[in-house]
Amino acid sequence: MNNYIDTLNETIKSYYKILSEDFPEFLNEYINTPAMLKQSKISVSCGTIYSKMYNQMWYSSLDHSIAVSLIIWHFTKDKKQTLAGLFHDIATPVFKHSIDFMNKDYEKQESTEELTTKIIQDSEELMYLLNRDGIKVEEVADYHIYPIADNDTPRLSSDRLEYTLSNGLGATEKIWTLKEVKEIYDNIEIQKDENGIDELGFKDVAIAEKFVHTMSILSRLYIREKTLFTMQMLADIMKKMLDKNLISIKEMYNLSEKELIDRIKKCNEDNIAECFKKWENAKEVNTSETLPEGKYFVNIEKVKKRYINPLVRLNNEYKRIKDISEKANSDINDALQYKTAKYVFLDFNFE
């Protein structure tokens, strides 16, 4: 059997090499299972990549999960924590966090995570490997139990670090190069937070500032008008198709995004196919502070704001960068205070 890793482009392979000089061989068996490979057909972009409004590199949910596991391996060399990182998005459905929007989970965006244990347990291949390796499901099904893997915002975890690095490489927008990613990554070490808990942190203030600056740019891109519009529109399409039994919840977890898009384009209900095509070919969205009459519009006032206030070593102590750097403080505040227009719309409407 071919390894999934071998199918990736050189940019992602080089990126993985930065994250972990040695690739742990045991990962390949877990990656090359049907339950994990399904994630290779889902983009981290939450569906935005399929519209002409965006210019993004293909980076799958599986690519992200592998990268998270490599970061954890690099810093811990712990097999269980590494596998927990690999599995953390195994319950991701098509269009990723757009489904959280369908579930009205705008702020936490965690509505699909509860299925992680079930999907692992339902996979004969994964259960065989875990039993063979003497690992219990509960030791790898919840990466929140490992602080290096995941922790609460605004701390720096492997997950938060990974999507900041890869999104800045082009999964969201091309902001930095592989060389800059390596500069950032090589400056990170395990430190102790205010409660004595392990956390990833920076060795140098200047590098921490550089990381936070790019993070603040990405934070705003995650909730810019066209992104919120896309996520809510796809959520509404999924809801309409579910209500009319044109798709099932199970299929949202088993179909690839391309298979689902093909189904959307063949949909004859509620003008769905025509509206999707207009969004697909749109170059930009429209905004307004007043209600746009007769248009499909999005109005989301409370949405998850992703930001990071990492630790940094200063005079042999660990401090939050926001507390010691005016530059980082300004960047973080810019991310937190970012506001979109009240209404975002395109010139179509669902029937």
Side-chain angles (χ1 to χ4, degrees):
M1 177 175 32
N2 292 330
N3 285 329
Y4 173 75
I5 297 295
D6 297 333
T7 70
L8 298 174
N9 64 46
E10 290 307 313
T11 296
I12 297 178
K13 287 180 181 177
S14 298
Y15 171 55
Y16 283 176
K17 197 74 172 173
I18 292 170
L19 301 183
S20 181
E21 187 67 31
D22 64 305
F23 191 95
E25 282 302 315
F26 71 85
L27 268 185
N28 279 320
E29 286 186 286
Y30 286 91
I31 292 167
N32 295 319
T33 58
M36 289 305 306
L37 290 174
K38 278 191 296 186
Q39 292 297 312
S40 69
K41 308 299 183 183
I42 296 172
S43 169
V44 297
S45 73
C46 304
T48 59
I49 196 171
Y50 302 109
S51 170
K52 290 180 180 177
M53 285 188 276
Y54 302 86
N55 180 23
Q56 299 167 326
M57 75 172 185
W58 174 262
Y59 194 71
S60 75
S61 179
L62 179 55
D63 299 335
H64 161 67
S65 296
I66 294 169
V68 170
S69 71
L70 290 176
I71 293 171
I72 296 168
W73 178 254
H74 173 76
F75 286 106
T76 72
K77 293 297 187 287
D78 184 281
K79 189 171 185 177
K80 292 175 184 176
Q81 292 188 51
T82 301
L83 288 173
L86 182 69
F87 295 151
H88 83 280
D89 270 349
I90 199 171
T92 296
V94 289
F95 303 139
K96 210 167 169 66
H97 292 300
S98 294
I99 305 305
D100 291 318
F101 276 46
M102 188 185 81
N103 296 333
K104 308 299 183 187
D105 178 23
Y106 301 110
E107 293 188 79
K108 291 187 176 180
Q109 297 183 14
E110 297 172 350
S111 67
T112 63
E113 290 183 5
E114 62 190 40
L115 292 172
T116 300
T117 298
K118 184 179 187 311
I119 290 174
I120 294 172
Q121 289 176 331
D122 287 350
S123 167
E124 291 182 14
E125 295 84 1
L126 289 177
M127 289 307 298
Y128 167 78
L129 293 171
L130 290 173
N131 289 330
R132 183 199 66 186
D133 293 345
I135 299 172
K136 298 175 182 177
V137 173
E138 56 265 29
E139 293 177 306
V140 294
D142 182 7
Y143 79 140
H144 301 295
I145 65 177
Y146 303 114
I148 293 300
D150 186 59
N151 49 33
D152 292 334
T153 299
R155 297 171 178 84
L156 183 62
S157 64
S158 296
D159 183 30
R160 222 162 275 125
L161 171 62
E162 198 294 313
Y163 67 64
T164 305
L165 296 178
S166 58
N167 283 333
L169 267 178
T172 292
E173 199 157 296
K174 181 71 174 173
I175 299 175
W176 48 26
T177 63
L178 283 168
K179 183 179 179 181
E180 289 173 307
V181 166
K182 181 171 172 53
E183 178 188 35
I184 295 287
Y185 193 69
D186 287 350
N187 199 254
I188 294 172
E189 62 183 0
I190 295 180
Q191 300 177 355
K192 294 287 184 183
D193 74 2
E194 299 86 345
N195 300 309
I197 298 172
D198 284 351
E199 182 179 333
L200 299 179
F202 288 90
K203 301 172 188 176
D204 300 309
V205 171
I207 302 297
E209 288 175 334
K210 183 173 183 177
F211 175 81
V212 167
H213 181 67
T214 298
M215 176 279 302
S216 72
I217 295 171
L218 289 167
S219 178
R220 285 167 278 172
L221 296 181
Y222 299 149
I223 56 172
R224 57 187 161 177
E225 283 97 346
K226 63 183 180 180
T227 299
L228 293 181
F229 180 90
T230 291
M231 293 173 74
Q232 187 62 58
M233 187 204 75
L234 291 173
D236 288 344
I237 287 175
M238 293 298 94
K239 182 68 167 60
K240 284 178 175 289
M241 293 180 73
L242 277 171
D243 290 346
K244 294 178 180 293
N245 296 315
L246 299 173
I247 190 173
S248 67
I249 293 289
K250 184 177 180 180
E251 286 176 318
M252 288 165 59
Y253 287 89
N254 290 312
L255 290 177
S256 70
E257 286 180 344
K258 289 189 176 178
E259 288 171 326
L260 183 53
I261 288 171
D262 185 57
R263 193 173 293 191
I264 292 171
K265 289 182 174 181
K266 292 176 180 176
C267 180
N268 296 318
E269 300 280 347
D270 289 353
N271 212 26
I272 286 173
E274 184 179 341
C275 293
F276 183 88
K277 185 176 181 181
K278 286 183 177 180
W279 164 80
E280 194 178 31
N281 290 309
K283 298 294 176 66
E284 198 49 80
V285 290
N286 303 307
T287 61
S288 173
E289 293 304 310
T290 58
L291 184 70
E293 299 287 347
K295 316 287 186 190
Y296 172 79
F297 68 87
V298 167
N299 169 232
I300 301 172
E301 295 183 357
K302 291 185 178 181
V303 69
K304 182 174 184 176
K305 293 190 176 181
R306 298 175 183 269
Y307 75 103
I308 305 168
N309 181 18
L311 293 171
V312 62
R313 191 198 301 171
L314 182 67
N315 300 326
N316 293 319
E317 292 185 319
Y318 303 133
K319 304 287 187 180
R320 293 283 166 197
I321 189 67
K322 196 174 188 291
D323 297 330
I324 61 171
S325 165
E326 288 187 17
K327 184 176 186 301
N329 184 55
S330 176
D331 281 332
I332 290 171
N333 287 336
D334 284 347
L336 291 174
Q337 294 167 9
Y338 178 73
K339 290 189 186 322
T340 60
K342 187 170 184 180
Y343 298 101
V344 189
F345 66 97
L346 281 177
D347 190 9
F348 63 74
N349 213 343
F350 295 120
E351 294 176 355

